Amino acid sequence: VWQGCSIGTAKLHLLEFSAFMEQQGETNTYNRHLFVHISQGSPTALESVDVRQIYDKFPEKKGGLKDLYERGPPGAFFLVKFWADLNTGVPDEPGVFYGVTSQYEGPENMTITCSSKVCSFGKQVVEKVETEYARFENGRFMYRMHRSPMCEYLINFIHKLKQLPEKYMMNSVLENFTILQVVTNRDTQELLLCVAYVFEISTSERGTQYHIYRLVKE
Amino acid sequence: ERPDQVPMRKRQLPASFWEEPRPV
């Protein structure tokens, strides 16, 4: 059902992705704010974006988006446009946790490696590499990267972005801020998913939004 | 082949790329 409708291939499918800040309140309550969030929505056909339109927004040397796309498979490449929500109701105090949670599923038992590269003006500034083992649940193999701590670079970036007085200034900074996530099968080095993220600030009062596109070469 | 620092607004992107979805 989900093929062609969201981020995934026959081998791996993204179920959830969220970046958040969270504060533990009194009586063990948690106050969580989502900066960005992808969840399973109702399936709709994806529009396409020519991958060459965004090459320069991501690393271009060996192992960059162009290289990766040429190696393929092309069906594993996606672009996500996020409208991020920076209207945090959570006070930014010591003890606030900044994290990222992502969840994948697939039909095979694999060990996956997930690389997340934060890029500024198309150049990688920081990379996180995580390895995740499969857990068999309800006939599918699940891969959960739960509450992975956000790197200092991103936390500082969010702080600085929030200090800008106008949304258009934030969007101007975000024009040159991107994240590239590459998920591979650790044992075979097969590319399973490649997701390019670009950002704008949400103008909605009701939180973060997104569009997903297929990356193609037309 | 590549746009090379052309502002995103001037690139060949779907109209939806600039339209924030309405909250459900």
Side-chain angles (χ1 to χ4, degrees):
Chain A
V1 174
W2 45 261
Q3 278 190 49
C5 302
S6 57
I7 297 175
T9 67
K11 293 203 168 173
L12 198 70
H13 177 217
L14 178 71
L15 292 178
E16 188 205 344
F17 179 81
S18 58
F20 58 89
M21 65 187 289
E22 189 179 80
Q23 187 191 43
Q24 185 172 3
E26 292 170 13
T27 65
N28 276 344
T29 54
Y30 288 88
N31 194 1
R32 174 182 280 200
H33 172 83
L34 294 172
F35 296 112
V36 294
H37 179 56
I38 296 174
S39 60
Q40 284 180 292
S42 47
T44 49
L46 297 184
E47 291 182 89
S48 298
V49 165
D50 191 317
V51 67
R52 289 168 291 192
Q53 295 294 322
I54 59 162
Y55 273 162
D56 62 319
K57 294 287 174 189
F58 297 91
E60 293 191 88
K61 291 178 183 165
K62 198 166 176 287
L65 183 57
K66 185 171 189 280
D67 256 18
L68 290 168
Y69 196 87
E70 280 168 4
R71 275 192 280 151
F77 286 75
F78 296 87
L79 169 66
V80 174
K81 166 75 180 278
F82 269 130
W83 281 266
D85 181 10
L86 291 190
N87 288 321
T88 55
V90 181
D92 202 357
E93 295 166 349
V96 171
F97 177 73
Y98 286 76
V100 180
T101 286
S102 45
Q103 201 178 161
Y104 302 88
E105 70 164 18
E108 290 177 38
N109 186 2
M110 303 181 285
T111 302
I112 63 169
T113 302
C114 182
S115 150
S116 305
K117 291 178 177 175
V118 176
C119 309
S120 174
F121 290 90
K123 304 279 187 292
Q124 176 188 323
V125 286
V126 61
E127 179 184 21
K128 179 193 272 187
V129 180
E130 294 165 285
T131 300
E132 197 60 39
Y133 300 91
R135 286 204 298 187
F136 192 68
E137 287 175 21
N138 300 320
R140 306 284 287 172
F141 292 94
M142 304 292 295
Y143 306 85
R144 277 200 191 92
M145 278 158 268
H146 187 58
R147 299 173 64 81
S148 173
M150 198 182 286
C151 68
E152 283 299 315
Y153 180 91
L154 274 183
I155 296 171
N156 289 334
F157 181 79
I158 291 169
H159 283 161
K160 286 180 183 164
L161 203 56
K162 280 182 68 177
Q163 285 166 9
L164 293 173
E166 302 287 347
K167 277 207 172 84
Y168 78 88
M169 295 176 187
M170 299 180 191
N171 286 336
S172 170
V173 171
L174 287 173
E175 168 110 1
N176 295 301
F177 171 84
T178 57
I179 294 178
L180 187 67
Q181 280 195 320
V182 181
V183 185
T184 47
N185 180 326
R186 187 195 65 175
D187 299 321
T188 64
Q189 290 301 303
E190 178 188 10
L191 188 145
L192 299 167
L193 278 182
C194 178
V195 188
Y197 295 96
V198 296
F199 301 85
E200 223 179 281
I201 296 293
S202 172
T203 52
S204 162
E205 295 299 314
R206 289 167 65 186
T208 175
Q209 309 292 330
Y210 63 88
H211 275 310
I212 303 171
Y213 301 92
R214 265 183 191 292
L215 284 172
V216 300
K217 226 175 191 179
E218 286 162 344
Chain B
E1 191 180 48
R2 65 177 200 182
D4 206 2
Q5 295 307 315
V6 173
M8 289 295 271
R9 287 270 175 194
K10 294 191 176 174
R11 300 186 186 199
Q12 290 172 31
L13 297 164
S16 62
F17 194 86
W18 304 109
E19 295 161 5
E20 183 175 356
R22 290 181 175 198
V24 179

